[in-house]
Amino acid sequence: APRSKETQTEYTIPSVKPDVHDFYRNICLTIDGNATQIVTHAQQIRLMRVMEACFESDRLGLPVKFED
């Protein structure tokens, strides 16, 4: 059943216009030793695990447990 308005909270999410090239610029700066990675290897690996769990869930049509 749909939830009542009293049990819901609505938030306004600001619009973000990222530049996809910022990621790659950061990689180059990091390799040169002039910056710290914006997205770490551990974060990238976690994202891949989440995506794999999503694909498996879709394939099975069931929720899939995800362990971090």
Side-chain angles (χ1 to χ4, degrees):
R3 292 175 51 181
S4 65
K5 289 284 184 188
E6 296 81 32
T7 65
Q8 300 178 36
T9 304
E10 198 169 299
Y11 298 97
T12 301
I13 300 174
S15 178
V16 178
K17 298 191 192 269
D19 180 357
V20 68
H21 301 289
D22 286 341
F23 173 78
Y24 297 103
R25 285 185 200 105
N26 175 253
I27 295 287
C28 292
L29 289 170
T30 301
I31 290 170
D32 290 341
N34 297 321
T36 303
Q37 280 183 280
I38 294 172
V39 181
T40 66
H41 293 287
Q43 291 169 325
Q44 293 172 28
I45 291 168
R46 183 177 189 277
L47 173 61
M48 294 302 296
R49 288 183 181 149
V50 169
M51 289 173 57
E52 288 171 350
C54 290
F55 288 131
E56 183 69 3
S57 176
D58 179 59
R59 187 181 72 77
L60 296 174
L62 298 167
V64 172
K65 288 187 177 184
F66 171 75
E67 293 193 24
D68 205 1

